[in-house]
Amino acid sequence: MKLNNENLLKIKEIENVIVPNYSIEEIKKNTMKAPKWLHFGAGNIFRAYMGKVQQTLIEKKVENTGIIVAETFDTEIIDKAYKPYDNLTILTTLDKSGNFKNEILGSIVQSIKGTEENIGVLEEIIEKSSLEIISFTITEKGYNLKNIKGEYFPIVEEDFKNGFKFPKHVMSLITKLLYSRFKKGGYPISLVSMDNCSGNGDKIKEGILTIGKKWVENNLVEKEFIDYISNEKKVAYPITMIDKITPRPAIEVKEKLENIGFENMDIIVTEKNSYVAPYVNAEVPEYFIVEDKFPNGRPQFEKAGIYITDRETVEKTEKMKVTTCLNPLHTTLAIYGCLLGKESIYDAGSDEDLNKLIKHIGYDEALKVVESPRIIDPKEFIDEVINERFLNPYIPDKPERIATDTSQKIAIRFGETIKSYVNRDDMKVEDLKYIPLVIAGWFRYLLGVNDRGDSITISSDPMLEILKEEVKNIKYDDSTSYKIGSFNQLLKNERIFGIDLVEIGMNKIIEKYFIEMLNGKDSVRNTLHKYV
């Protein structure tokens, strides 16, 4: 049976599959007439989390419109994972005990390629006074206008000159759309990032204002437009914290869905290396904490389990998760999981040495610097992460996926904790033993050789070529191939590490660990086991 609107009544007869209890056609009609929610980024976490949130609100009869999604980076997703299935998604949630729950999501009612030829379609949506929010899951890279050297990307430079007509960067596109809203009536709107990065709303605001000001300088737009996008009673940029693991679609889920009667559940790998399918497999736990800044109204998120709170609480919750209680532990398992040949994060988290390492980092080093956000208890959060979430064998997340863009993550995931040890009188940076072990492990990973001596593919990273140049003469089986001090320039890079690691003396322990990992086969395991 094919997944589409026509077959929903038949699908309803399949055991253990929940279907929408509302008219998708009616919801779509309402949405086209008066849209409230436009989202950019058609990936898995959006479908699994926000698609489910809106479905919950529709079924509770507190919302009567759906979500319109646009994809700017990998438009093949729209062609292969949305259109053939009438924008429906099967959400399969899997808990640690092996209970599978399958639900058809119908709340995403329109999918659009965010390309030049569709700018008019997007402008028509954003010009509607009913639109309350524009949200994003475009990854942290999507907000960046500059490279690691602090230089504007060439496409951004081009957008400063010509982007008002033909925007290439997603932030330029959003700025153009906001200008259309400004000209139509200056209606209020909230731009809500649902990406896993610090100060995400601030990043949107910085990007939009930068582009807008350049356009004013180039006489492309009126200076009054800057007043509009600067006034948070008109355009608001709430910060958020999101947490839900939605790995690549799993073959086991595909097989289970086909066994109960679904057709064409193929896993698709796009040319841009996105992994998508008609279904999304996800863990049960989920957290979304949002700063309450919505000048044109918003969905009743609270009724779908979302926390609406003040900025300080969001910042504390986000810092708790990203810098101490989850993301650093995830990155640790990813780096060492790749080196030790682990097939999944579950396999890595189940490894005795790696399990000890993340406990040392979480409980012994990071938890000491956490300020509780109160709405979530940090100790209980780490307990759930280590004992339930990472040890869920039915969430087949790959270390390689989590290891993507590590250079962009270290400053937040580890650097913030390091800075706390430097800045607090009751702590000494010399007491940190396990975070340096992760950094050393990352350098070892960049050699592209695992602990067995086999070549491995290093996950994509915007700094990969620069980093590979730093390690090109180092051999995994020759500790003398590393010359003391060779990494000093790299370790001084505050954009990568958040702090100058040479200045605070952490370079020495990192080098010590790294050199011990250059003794050939099993030296990573031996070093890890020795220190945990």
Side-chain angles (χ1 to χ4, degrees), residues 367-383:
L367 194 57
K368 292 177 181 178
V369 304
V370 175
E371 186 176 359
S372 176
R374 298 185 181 277
I375 60 173
I376 300 172
D377 179 82
K379 169 65 166 53
E380 292 177 3
F381 191 84
I382 293 184
D383 290 343

Side-chain angles (χ1 to χ4, degrees), residues 39 134-139 143 191-197 199-204 237-242 288-290:
H39 182 86
I134 303 173
S135 58
F136 305 88
T137 48
I138 56 175
T139 77
Y143 308 105
L191 275 59
V192 186
S193 173
M194 298 172 175
D195 277 305
N196 180 18
C197 56
N200 46 24
D202 297 337
K203 291 179 185 295
I204 300 175
Y237 309 86
I239 61 169
T240 72
M241 188 284 274
I242 191 166
F288 190 41
I289 294 90
V290 186

